[in-house]
Amino acid sequence: DAGVIQSPRHEVTEMGQEVTLRCKPISGHNSLFWYRQTMMRGLELLIYFNNNVPIDDSGMPEDRFSAKMPNASFSTLKIQPSEPRDSAVYFCASSLTGTHTEAFFGQGTRLTVV
Amino acid sequence: DQQVKQNSPSLSVQEGRISILNCDYTNSMFDYFLWYKKYPAEGPTFLISISSIKDKNEDGRFTVFLNKSAKHLSLHIVPSQPGDSAVYFCAASEGNNDMRFGAGTRLTVKP
């Protein structure tokens, strides 16, 4: 398996523009997570899905952020409109649903909003 | 609210010595704890884990200790090697796989 695949690897956009980050989880994994890495807070959980259903989105910063998982092999994280403070590395991870399992991470998308 | 805390942003040790990375948590319902390792420009990779029913788990040079009463866990690496230089994240989950991470500790192992 190729692992969790995220695209793009790097994204530079202007403030106010819409940004869409994409994730393909590991085949067979039915839990998917979106994290944002910041210097102060480390890996912040933004939202996670079980079987394509959002379970906890309390970590989503504000209404400008939205995430979807239309099927088991694809998820998007959208920021509209983007702001400079959204600049960070965004990671997607997937795991088998159940207790005591580890998550496998993608390589991340480095977002820069200028 | 930061439920998982790594209070040391960085740690430097000499090759061959022991590295001890610390992590504290506030949620007493956490029952599974993990350590992840992250190299630059890569995603975090799983390193070692421990269930709350244990107080120690060992895997080669890596040992994780859990002190539930103190809500504290630590990762010991011995002997430390230059290739261990990375950012280490502590994570915890509560009965499911909703994992919460700390801010990370950057370990530098000097030759």
Side-chain angles (χ1 to χ4, degrees):
Chain A
D1 197 310
V4 176
I5 300 173
Q6 290 185 247
S7 64
R9 289 294 310 276
H10 303 273
E11 176 79 38
V12 180
T13 190
E14 290 185 345
M15 182 174 64
Q17 296 298 306
E18 177 181 297
V19 175
T20 300
L21 311 182
R22 296 173 176 80
C23 176
K24 176 176 167 41
I26 292 172
S27 177
H29 283 188
N30 42 17
S31 291
L32 183 140
F33 309 81
W34 282 101
Y35 287 91
R36 178 172 67 177
Q37 184 183 7
T38 63
M39 289 293 292
M40 291 300 294
R41 300 178 65 84
L43 287 163
E44 287 180 279
L45 178 65
L46 300 177
I47 186 171
Y48 81 98
F49 297 83
N50 276 352
N51 296 313
N52 313 338
V53 176
I55 302 301
D56 182 358
D57 65 353
S58 59
M60 296 286 260
E62 48 198 91
D63 292 345
R64 298 184 297 107
F65 285 67
S66 62
K68 293 182 179 179
M69 192 166 185
N71 57 62
S73 59
F74 184 66
S75 177
T76 59
L77 177 67
K78 186 177 293 186
I79 308 173
Q80 165 64 19
S82 58
E83 296 182 2
R85 61 192 168 121
D86 301 329
S87 298
V89 181
Y90 292 79
F91 287 101
C92 175
S94 70
S95 73
L96 293 169
T97 297
T99 59
H100 297 186
T101 58
E102 69 266 23
F104 295 80
F105 282 77
Q107 290 187 296
T109 295
R110 179 173 293 278
L111 173 65
T112 303
V113 183
V114 298
Chain B
D1 178 30
Q2 198 80 8
Q3 297 185 54
V4 178
K5 298 178 182 179
Q6 293 176 258
N7 293 319
S8 297
S10 63
L11 174 69
S12 182
V13 300
Q14 206 68 34
E15 180 179 5
R17 306 294 291 268
I18 185 171
S19 296
I20 300 176
L21 297 105
N22 293 303
C23 178
D24 298 293
Y25 60 95
T26 57
N27 186 347
S28 58
M29 300 300 291
F30 284 144
D31 64 354
Y32 191 56
F33 305 88
L34 311 91
W35 284 94
Y36 279 77
K37 179 178 179 180
K38 184 184 179 305
Y39 291 117
E42 295 183 11
T45 55
F46 170 73
L47 186 59
I48 192 170
S49 64
I50 187 168
S51 165
S52 60
I53 62 174
K54 294 185 176 181
D55 55 18
K56 177 183 175 181
N57 188 26
E58 190 173 349
D59 183 3
R61 297 185 296 114
F62 302 90
T63 302
V64 56
F65 295 92
L66 175 63
N67 182 334
K68 290 186 291 294
S69 60
K71 295 191 182 69
H72 177 85
L73 67 155
S74 60
L75 174 67
H76 292 210
I77 307 172
V78 56
S80 303
Q81 299 173 355
D84 296 329
S85 297
V87 177
Y88 289 79
F89 289 97
C90 169
S93 65
E94 175 190 341
N96 53 36
N97 42 15
D98 174 9
M99 251 178 288
R100 305 287 170 166
F101 283 80
T105 297
R106 181 178 299 280
L107 173 67
T108 302
V109 180
K110 297 179 179 178

